[in-house]
C-alpha cells in the first residue's frame, strides 16, 4: 500500500523583491528566490515559509487558493524574516494557524527586533510582522492522519533552525539547512565556522529523504535529496578552501562566481563575503554588528 495515500506536495518559488543597488561586478543587487511548499491532503493543506513582502504574499496566496484546499497550518522553518514576515497576511487570508519550534519562535522575536536595522533598510512593502506562531506537542502535527514532524537541526545559516519531515512522502522541507542552485548565506558562520552546519546536514541526511525542498532554489532544479545534500556540503568545502586562498571579500566573491556561474542570489554571496572577511579582519570588534552591516 502507498503510505502517501492522498498526500502530495507542490512548490511555489517566489521571485525576490526588486533589486536595489549594485554588486562589485556592476550587476544589480538581487536577493535569492524563495520557495514555499504546499503539502496537500484530499481536502486540507499545510504551507511552509510564506516569504517576506506583500507582493510575495499575494502571488503565493493566489497560487495556494488555486489548489482548492483548506489551509490549516503555516509552518516556519527558522527566524529569518525572508521566510516569515508575510505569514500574518497568509494566516489571515486563509484562517490558518502559524506553527514553529520553540527555538524558531525565539529567533522570530530576534528577527522582529532586527527588522528596523536590516529589512526595512533593504526593501519596502514588508507587512506588519507580529510573532503569532505556536508550538505543537512533541514537535509533531498531522495532516489528514499523516505525521508532519518538526526536526530541530541547530545552527545552519542562523541559530535554532528546523526542518519539516513528512515520512509518508519521504520529504524534508529544509528551510535554509539545504540550498539548491542558489548562493548560501554564510555570514552567521563567520565566528564558529561551518562545523555546526555540517552537523545539521547530517541530521537531515539521517532522515533519508528522497526529496528535499530547499528554502532558496532555482526553480529549474529538481528536488533530489542526495544531490542537494552533496551540493550543499560541497559549497561549504569550497568556501573553506577559498577562505584560505583568497585574501579579500572581493576575491572570494569573484572566485565563487567562477566556480558557480549559474547560482542565483549573488547579493547573498556578497553579503556573506563581506561578513566572513569583515569578522576576520576586525578581531575585537562586535561580530554581530559587522555581520549586520554587511547587508547594507
Ligand atoms: Zn533564507
Amino acid at each position: 500500500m502507498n503510505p502517501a495515500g492522498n498526500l502530495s506536495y507542490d512548490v511555489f518559488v517566489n521571485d525576490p523583491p526588486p533589486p536595489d543597488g549594485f554588486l562589485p561586478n556592476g550587476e544589480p543587487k538581487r536577493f535569492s528566490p524563495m520557495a514555499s511548499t504546499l503539502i496537500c491532503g484530499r481536502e486540507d493543506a499545510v504551507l511552509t515559509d510564506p516569504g517576506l513582502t506583500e507582493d510575495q504574499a499575494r502571488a503565493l496566496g493566489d497560487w495556494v487558493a488555486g489548489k482548492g484546499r483548506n489551509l490549516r497550518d503555516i509552518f516556519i522553518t527558522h527566524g529569518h524574516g525572508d521566510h516569515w514576515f508575510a505569514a500574518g497576511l497568509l494566516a489571515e487570508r486563509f484562517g490558518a494557524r502559524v506553527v514553529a519550534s520553540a527555538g524558531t519562535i525565539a529567533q522570530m522575536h530576534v528577527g522582529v527586533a532586527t527588522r528596523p536595522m536590516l529589512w526595512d533598510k533593504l526593501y519596502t512593502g514588508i507587512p506588519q510582522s507580529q510573532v503569532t506562531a505556536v508550538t505543537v506537542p512533541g514537535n509533531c502535527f498531522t495532516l489528514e492522519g499523516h505525521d508532519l514532524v518538526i526536526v530541530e537541526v541547530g545552527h545552519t545559516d542562523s541559530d535554532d533552525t528546523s526542518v519539516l519531515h513528512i515520512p509518508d512522502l519521504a520529504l524534508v522541507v529544509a528551510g535554509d539547512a539545504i540550498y539548491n542552485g542558489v548562493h548560501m548565506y554564510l555570514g552567521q558562520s563567520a565566528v564558529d565556522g561551518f562545523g555546526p552546519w555540517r552537523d545539521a546536514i547530517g541530521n537531515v541526511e539521517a532522515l533519508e529523504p528522497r526529496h528535499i525542498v530547499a528554502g532558496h532554489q532555482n526553480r529549474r532544479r529538481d528536488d533530489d535529496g542526495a544531490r542537494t545534500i552533496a551540493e550543499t556540503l560541497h559549497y561549504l568545502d569550497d568556501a573553506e578552501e577559498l577562505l584560505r586562498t583568497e585574501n579579500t571579500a572581493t576575491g572570494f566573491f569573484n572566485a565563487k562566481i567562477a566556480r558557480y556561474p549559474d547560482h542565483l542570489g549573488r547579493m547573498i554571496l556578497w553579503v556573506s563575503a563581506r561578513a566572513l572577511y569583515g569578522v576576520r579582519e576586525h578581531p575585537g570588534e562586535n561580530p554581530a554588528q559587522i555581520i549586520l552591516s554587511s547587508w547594507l
Side-chain angles (χ1 to χ4, degrees), residues 140-183:
C140 184
F141 56 120
T142 59
L143 174 62
E144 297 182 357
H146 300 276
D147 283 344
L148 310 183
V149 185
I150 302 170
V151 181
E152 298 181 84
V153 295
H155 183 95
T156 57
D157 77 342
S158 56
D159 289 335
D160 301 325
T161 67
S162 69
V163 304
L164 191 64
H165 181 213
I166 302 97
D168 287 346
L169 290 172
L171 169 69
V172 166
V173 178
D176 288 351
I178 306 289
Y179 279 63
N180 191 358
V182 174
H183 288 290

Side-chain angles (χ1 to χ4, degrees), residues 31 34 78 80 82-83 157 176 179 216:
F31 197 77
M34 284 107 113
H78 66 291
H80 279 160
D82 56 319
H83 292 257
D157 77 342
D176 288 351
Y179 279 63
H216 297 288

Side-chain angles (χ1 to χ4, degrees), residues 42-280:
R42 190 191 294 273
E43 293 177 353
D44 296 339
V46 171
L47 181 68
T48 71
D49 286 2
L52 176 68
T53 66
E54 289 161 359
D55 286 349
Q56 290 177 333
R58 198 174 307 114
L60 175 63
D62 291 349
W63 177 82
V64 169
K67 300 294 179 184
R69 305 297 205 286
N70 306 311
L71 186 64
R72 296 287 180 196
D73 294 306
I74 298 171
F75 172 70
I76 311 297
T77 57
H78 66 291
H80 279 160
D82 56 319
H83 292 257
W84 74 270
F85 279 171
L89 294 179
L90 276 297
E92 196 178 345
R93 177 168 174 177
F94 294 101
R97 176 178 69 157
V98 182
V99 171
S101 71
T104 290
I105 291 172
Q107 294 298 327
M108 291 167 89
H109 287 286
V110 174
V112 169
T114 313
R115 173 179 170 160
M117 287 95 79
L118 176 62
W119 297 106
D120 289 335
K121 291 194 173 175
L122 291 172
Y123 300 116
T124 57
I126 303 174
Q128 284 292 318
S129 48
Q130 274 118 355
V131 180
T132 60
V134 297
T135 57
V136 289
N139 266 348
C140 184
F141 56 120
T142 59
L143 174 62
E144 297 182 357
H146 300 276
D147 283 344
L148 310 183
V149 185
I150 302 170
V151 181
E152 298 181 84
V153 295
H155 183 95
T156 57
D157 77 342
S158 56
D159 289 335
D160 301 325
T161 67
S162 69
V163 304
L164 191 64
H165 181 213
I166 302 97
D168 287 346
L169 290 172
L171 169 69
V172 166
V173 178
D176 288 351
I178 306 289
Y179 279 63
N180 191 358
V182 174
H183 288 290
M184 293 167 60
Y185 175 50
L186 307 176
Q188 287 179 240
S189 303
V191 177
D192 294 327
F194 304 128
W197 200 331
R198 291 182 193 283
D199 292 344
I201 294 168
N203 291 335
V204 172
E205 198 167 21
L207 302 171
E208 300 182 356
R210 197 176 317 132
H211 314 284
I212 291 180
V213 179
H216 297 288
Q217 60 176 275
N218 182 332
R219 57 169 68 88
R220 294 202 296 270
R221 300 281 190 103
D222 67 22
D223 59 5
D224 183 84
R227 179 184 63 78
T228 53
I229 286 172
E231 289 183 3
T232 301
L233 285 168
H234 192 244
Y235 191 95
L236 295 180
D237 293 343
D238 273 346
E240 261 165 8
E241 184 193 329
L242 293 175
L243 280 164
R244 287 193 298 272
T245 58
E246 297 295 328
N247 294 322
T248 65
T250 307
F252 182 94
F253 175 81
N254 290 331
K256 269 286 193 192
I257 289 177
R259 291 186 186 198
Y260 296 88
D262 298 326
H263 266 40
L264 304 176
R266 289 179 178 177
M267 169 185 169
I268 295 304
L269 172 59
W270 180 231
V271 172
S272 299
R274 289 185 69 198
L276 291 166
Y277 285 80
V279 168
R280 185 157 98 176

